[in-house]
């Protein structure tokens, strides 16, 4: 029953009839103490079933429910390490071993997809977490998230297996079992171009740096970033920090202040690296990587920021699936002077949701700054490009033809030479 104690602390009732998968996953993510990296209400960071929208629009789930594979996808892109398999690819003994493992740990929880009719319950397909196991009677405890229908109940493991070992008519696949535990890092699937960008960085860059014409660090940067897919600049804009204006008030919790302090220290360490300084020089030389980045046919930086404002306003207002309910206009663009230490490039916008107005500010990763003017906790283009290069495998640079340049660049990007906090961020 070890897993029970954490799960029951976050036991919730699905907010919609078709949200059983979302409510189950929200329970598990909260029990694993995974940071949602966005706020639920007020200053609180908390998973709610309405927030789980990155793999399937919540409006679609509300109407049609969700499949087993989409629940696994949601778990992964929200920060959980997932082990998932369909019943026809496993056996009841494997299932029993999984149940015992999850019930014996507070850091690993199981989600099951099953057919209620086999249990002689009303309804059909359903998701719920496993709350415990009785070895003497070979029974499992289901913490049913449809609490308006059924309280937690014990079910013979063999009977639950029969209920799981059925075909989901919506997909034609067997139902399944999912195990989730905390990931030290996570990758969101919100941006469709990430896979393409990652493939470019890991597969094409090692080939590009074999060019005989690369004779300096500036040449390396030019080859990497001028040949990159447009998705890379799109992602750089997408990760721009967006916040409500009231986030600057005194209502920020001590925990949140602690996070921002750590984040600021990571960026400070990043900006003290030799690589960061080289990228500053490269951008200052007239590189057009960011300025001319094409985003869905629009080159305007305020157009980009306006779209980001609108996207996050939908999240804040719970209107992710209701694009027509939102009107966004940019009211101010203030560019920074790179010689001023506290300079920033900020776009302030007013987002109107129905009859309510919401002020949003976007810190734009656009200005080319010297290393001394980065005293804040919002990442810039230079920060993002620096960390991307630092995360590439060391053997990426072994293909450089110039031995002296290869030795110099490898020493700059060597992870072991970085401060501990930055090493952890890179890893």
């Amino acid at each position: 029953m070890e897993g029970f104690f954490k799960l029951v602390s976050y036991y919730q009732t699905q907010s919609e009839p078709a949200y059983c998968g979302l409510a189950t996953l929200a329970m598990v993510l909260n029990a694993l103490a995974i940071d949602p990296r966005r706020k639920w209400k007020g200053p609180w960071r908390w998973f709610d079933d309405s927030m789980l929208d990155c793999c399937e629009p919540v409006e679609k789930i509300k109407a049609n429910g969700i499949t087993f594979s989409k629940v696994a996808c949601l778990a992964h892109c929200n920060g959980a390490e997932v082990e998932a398999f369909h019943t026809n690819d496993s056996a009841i003994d494997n299932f029993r071993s999984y149940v015992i493992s999850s019930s014996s740990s507070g850091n690993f929880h199981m989600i099951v997809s099953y057919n209620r009719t086999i249990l002689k319950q009303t309804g059909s397909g359903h998701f719920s977490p496993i709350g415990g196991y009785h070895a003497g009677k070979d029974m499992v405890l289901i913490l049913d998230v449809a609490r308006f229908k059924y309280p937690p109940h014990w079910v013979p493991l063999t009977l639950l297996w029969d209920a799981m070992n059925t075909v989901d008519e919506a997909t034609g696949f067997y139902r399944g079992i999912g195990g989730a535990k905390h990931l030290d890092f996570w990758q969101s699937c919100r941006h469709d171009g990430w896979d393409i960008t990652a493939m470019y960085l890991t597969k094409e860059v090692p080939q590009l740096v074999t060019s005989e014409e690369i004779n300096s660090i500036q040449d390396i940067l030019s080859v990497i970033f001028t040949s990159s897919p447009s998705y890379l600049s799109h992602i750089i804009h997408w990760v721009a920090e967006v916040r409500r204006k009231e986030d600057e008030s005194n209502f920020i919790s001590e925990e949140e202040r602690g996070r921002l302090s750590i984040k600021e220290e990571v960026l400070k360490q990043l900006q003290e690296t030799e690589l960061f300084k080289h990228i500053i020089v490269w951008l200052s030389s007239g590189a057009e990587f960011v300025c001319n980045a094409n985003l869905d046919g629009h080159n305007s930086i305020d157009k980009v920021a306006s779209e980001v404002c609108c996207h996050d306003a939908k999240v804040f207002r719970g209107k992710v699936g209701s694009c027509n309910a939102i009107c966004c206009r940019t009211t101010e663009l203030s560019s920074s002077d790179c010689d001023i230490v506290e300079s920033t490039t900020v776009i302030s916008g007013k987002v109107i949701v129905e009859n309510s107005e919401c002020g949003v500010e976007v810190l734009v990763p656009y200005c080319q700054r010297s290393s001394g003017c980065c005293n804040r906790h919002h990442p810039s283009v230079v920060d993002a490009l620096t960390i991307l290069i630092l995360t590439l495998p060391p053997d990426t640079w072994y293909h450089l033809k110039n031995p002296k340049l290869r030795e110099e660049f490898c020493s700059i990007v060597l992870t072991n030479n970085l401060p501990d906090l930055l090493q952890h961020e890179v890893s």
Side-chain angles (χ1 to χ4, degrees), residues 58 91 106-107 113 119 122 169 204 233 282 291 308 319 326 339:
V58 288
N107 300 314
S113 168
L119 305 184
T122 61
E169 295 180 359
E204 296 185 35
S233 56
W282 178 71
C291 302
V308 176
K319 300 286 185 180
I326 294 191
D339 295 328

Side-chain angles (χ1 to χ4, degrees), residues 21 36 64 69 83 103 106 122-123 145 158 165 222 228 243 272 280 295 325 338 345 366 390 425:
N64 305 316
S69 60
E83 297 178 35
S103 300
T122 61
V145 292
T158 53
N165 197 26
S222 293
S228 63
R243 58 179 170 75
E272 291 173 349
I280 285 283
L295 179 59
C338 296
T345 300
Y366 181 71
L390 289 175
E425 181 70 16

Side-chain angles (χ1 to χ4, degrees), residues 360-371:
V360 181
E361 290 185 346
V362 181
L363 183 69
V364 182
Y366 181 71
C367 68
Q368 300 166 6
R369 306 165 297 163
S370 65
S371 60

Side-chain angles (χ1 to χ4, degrees), residues 19-238:
Y19 277 9
C20 57
L22 301 186
T24 297
L25 184 56
M27 273 182 64
V28 168
L29 294 173
N30 286 324
L32 291 172
I34 293 175
D35 180 7
R37 308 203 179 195
R38 53 175 163 157
K39 293 170 184 174
W40 167 57
K41 294 180 182 179
W44 309 113
R45 299 154 90 101
W46 180 262
F47 279 105
D48 177 72
D49 53 15
S50 62
M51 294 167 57
L52 301 173
D53 60 348
C54 65
C55 294
E56 191 87 271
V58 288
E59 291 299 318
K60 183 176 179 180
I61 298 173
K62 185 177 180 179
N64 305 316
I66 191 169
T67 64
F68 174 68
S69 60
K70 292 291 185 181
V71 170
C73 170
L74 278 170
H76 179 72
C77 79
N78 281 284
E81 182 178 345
V82 182
E83 297 178 35
F85 51 89
H86 296 277
T87 53
N88 61 319
D89 294 325
S90 186
I92 189 170
D93 289 338
N94 294 334
F95 174 51
R96 183 178 287 104
S97 296
Y98 257 71
V99 169
I100 293 172
S101 295
S102 66
S103 300
S104 304
S105 169
N107 300 314
F108 176 68
H109 302 292
M110 278 191 65
I111 293 173
V112 289
S113 168
Y114 59 99
N115 189 335
R116 280 193 183 277
T117 58
I118 305 297
L119 305 184
K120 301 191 185 312
Q121 298 175 345
T122 61
S124 53
H126 192 58
F127 289 89
S128 280
I130 296 297
Y133 176 65
H134 191 300
K137 296 183 178 181
D138 196 29
M139 297 182 79
V140 296
L141 176 63
I142 295 179
L143 297 178
D144 200 323
V145 292
R147 300 173 75 184
F148 46 87
K149 291 177 66 174
Y150 298 104
H153 49 275
W154 290 92
V155 175
L157 184 142
T158 53
L159 182 61
L160 179 58
W161 174 260
D162 291 341
M164 294 162 51
N165 197 26
T166 55
V167 175
D168 182 354
E169 295 180 359
T171 64
F173 294 106
Y174 278 78
R175 302 181 192 277
I177 310 136
K181 58 184 178 181
H182 199 296
L183 265 180
D184 290 330
F185 64 92
W186 63 279
Q187 168 186 315
S188 174
C189 64
R190 288 177 180 276
H191 197 288
D192 294 335
W194 175 245
D195 285 344
I196 294 173
T197 303
M199 187 64 68
Y200 168 78
L201 292 170
T202 57
K203 301 298 182 184
E204 296 185 35
V205 166
Q207 297 178 12
L208 290 173
V209 298
T210 61
S211 171
E212 299 282 354
E213 299 178 0
I214 296 179
N215 296 302
S216 68
I217 292 177
Q218 296 299 303
D219 289 342
I220 296 174
L221 299 177
S222 293
V223 165
I224 294 173
F225 294 124
T226 57
S227 303
S228 63
S230 59
Y231 279 122
L232 180 56
S233 56
H234 193 157
I235 290 170
I236 297 297
H237 289 300
W238 175 69

